[in-house]
């Protein structure tokens, strides 16, 4: 956690944007209603079958759904906190699913277990935590090591949004009032960011401030996202030998255009 600041500015990058993922309760609270990708990944898992490897499985949002469909899945994540939450949820799902899942702490840049998976998923912008081309090369080499010959690799990342990049980093945006799931009192959420156009990295600040000063701690979390443009990502994938089966602009199968929120890639080798 960082002391509150006003103008968003670049900060030292660390693997995994750890600050943001140290608080899984807050992550689950923020995204409890986020569901546009669930049906899509669920359908893909059902039609392609397992075993699935989820890279950046977080607090188990998608894994839970897959095991309930009887599909074998292994989740890896860098964050111990996110993994602990995922483990609790998966255990709570019941003993009948116990042999369908496993979790491992690992860095997606270097992790590989030598096994072959029929489906590898990296969902909800996880690959935007790969900040350099060198790391992307290492990451994709590991995907190739773990992908079965008939396997499919699916991931989604945000589509660059120029209106969002241009938001004034000196202002606070998206002010929202919420009841804090850990502190039990009312808070304001605000955010701002600095987009470094040369690095294509957005340095995001998320501010949590109690409505009534002193009711709870006032803190800031930082998160860095590397944006990949569609042509750039397609080029990288092809250079690594991937076949692009589909490039979509959303989980409803829509075409990618300048208004698409996400880029969804379905690839094979
Ligand atoms: C936006 S969350 C997505 C979590 C989950 N896939 C979901 O859909 O809810 C991104 C996840 O990637 C993980 N992550 C970031 N960098 C990583 C790295 N280098 N290796 C492994 N996991 C990483 C974070 O800890 C976090 O859990």
């Amino acid at each position: 956690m960082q002391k509150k600041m006003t103008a968003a500015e670049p900060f030292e990058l660390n693997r995994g944007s750890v600050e943001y993922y140290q608080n899984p309760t807050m992550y689950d609270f923020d995204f409890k209603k986020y569901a546009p990708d669930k049906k899509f990944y669920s359908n893909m898992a059902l039609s392609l079958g397992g075993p699935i490897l989820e890279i950046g499985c977080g607090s188990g949002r998608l894994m839970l759904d897959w095991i309930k469909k009887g599909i074998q899945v292994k989740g890896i994540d860098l964050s111990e906190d996110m993994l602990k939450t995922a483990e609790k949820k998966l255990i709570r799902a019941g003993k009948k699913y116990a042999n369908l899942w496993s979790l491992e702490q690992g860095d997606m840049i270097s992790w590989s277990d030598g096994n072959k998976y029929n489906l590898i998923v990296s969902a909800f912008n996880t690959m935007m935590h790969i900040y350099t081309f060198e790391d992307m090369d290492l990451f994709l080499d590991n995907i190739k090591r773990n992908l079965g010959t008939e396997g499919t690799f699916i991931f989604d990342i945000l589509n660059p949004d120029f209106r969002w990049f241009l938001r004034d980093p000196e202002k606070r945006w998206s002010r929202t009032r919420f009841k804090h799931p850990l502190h039990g009192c009312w808070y304001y959420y605000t955010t701002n960011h600095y987009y470094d156009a040369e690095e294509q990295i957005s340095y995001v600040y998320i501010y949590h401030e109690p409505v009534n000063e002193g009711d709870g701690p006032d803190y800031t979390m930082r998160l860095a996202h590397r944006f990949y443009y569609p042509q750039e990502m397609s080029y990288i994938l092809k250079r690594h030998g991937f076949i692009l089966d589909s490039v979509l602009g959303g989980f409803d199968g829509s075409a990618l255009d300048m208004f698409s929120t996400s880029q969804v890639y379905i690839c094979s080798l």
Side-chain angles (χ1 to χ4, degrees):
M1 306 286 175
Q2 264 276 119
K3 203 176 161 349
K4 182 175 81 175
M5 56 187 83
T6 302
E9 53 188 40
F11 47 81
E12 202 178 322
L13 292 168
N14 59 22
R15 195 77 106 212
S17 269
V18 283
E19 260 174 40
Y20 186 66
Y21 299 115
Q22 275 165 342
N23 190 343
T25 308
M26 203 61 233
Y27 178 88
D28 283 351
F29 176 81
D30 282 345
F31 298 113
K32 64 176 181 279
K33 289 194 182 132
Y34 181 79
D37 59 348
K38 264 197 169 160
K39 203 168 162 201
F40 168 82
Y41 281 116
S42 173
N43 288 340
M44 293 309 287
L46 274 175
S47 68
L48 296 167
I52 303 178
L53 170 65
E54 191 188 2
I55 305 212
C57 61
S59 56
R61 199 175 61 91
L62 297 172
M63 280 182 78
L64 210 52
D65 187 52
W66 292 326
I67 60 158
K68 287 182 180 168
K69 292 184 167 55
I71 304 169
Q72 189 86 38
V73 52
K74 176 165 189 168
I76 73 133
D77 203 285
L78 192 60
S79 161
E80 207 181 325
D81 298 295
M82 294 293 261
L83 284 170
K84 273 188 193 149
T85 299
E87 187 178 34
K88 273 190 214 143
K89 289 185 200 169
L90 292 160
I91 290 173
R92 223 183 294 135
K95 280 194 184 138
K96 63 176 171 177
Y97 302 118
N99 60 356
L100 285 178
W101 60 269
S102 62
L103 293 168
E104 196 176 313
Q105 189 175 18
D107 182 346
M108 62 180 161
I109 310 301
S110 51
W111 188 91
S112 163
D113 69 358
N115 291 323
K116 295 288 184 194
Y117 296 85
N118 191 48
L119 175 59
I120 301 183
V121 169
S122 189
F124 203 14
N125 312 322
T126 296
M127 283 165 59
M128 295 178 77
H129 295 306
I130 302 174
Y131 302 119
T132 64
F133 285 124
E134 290 75 18
D135 283 351
M136 181 58 85
D137 286 344
L138 293 170
F139 170 79
L140 290 173
D141 284 345
N142 287 323
I143 296 289
K144 284 192 279 187
R145 261 178 222 124
N146 286 306
L147 194 63
T149 39
E150 301 292 312
T152 308
F153 171 42
I154 310 182
F155 65 93
D156 65 277
I157 52 175
L158 287 171
N159 195 27
D161 176 350
F162 295 91
R163 296 161 301 185
W164 185 81
F165 290 157
L166 288 167
R167 280 184 176 179
D168 184 347
E170 304 245 349
K171 287 188 183 157
R172 297 286 188 90
W173 298 85
S174 309
R175 187 175 164 94
T176 319
R177 228 174 105 107
F178 69 99
K179 188 109 179 252
H180 201 292
L182 288 171
H183 304 301
C185 54
W186 288 98
Y187 264 70
Y188 285 121
Y189 160 98
T190 52
T191 184
N192 59 4
H193 59 269
Y194 176 86
Y195 177 66
D196 185 313
E198 197 181 354
E199 295 178 315
Q200 296 178 197
I201 292 174
S202 64
Y203 294 87
V204 181
Y205 290 71
I206 296 163
Y207 306 90
H208 285 174
E209 295 155 303
V211 171
N212 297 310
E213 216 183 310
D215 272 2
D218 178 328
Y219 59 92
T220 306
M221 293 173 287
R222 299 174 302 179
L223 174 75
H225 270 153
R226 159 71 148 96
F227 280 83
Y228 291 92
Y229 290 76
Q231 281 293 316
E232 180 185 20
M233 183 48 85
S234 297
Y235 176 76
I236 295 170
L237 290 164
K238 283 181 194 159
R239 199 167 54 84
H240 276 270
F242 286 94
I243 297 160
L244 273 60
D245 300 315
S246 274
V247 181
L248 305 169
F251 301 103
D252 56 357
S254 54
L256 181 63
D257 66 24
M258 63 181 163
F259 298 109
S260 303
T261 305
S262 295
Q263 306 172 53
V264 184
Y265 291 82
I266 303 176
C267 332
S268 50
L269 282 171

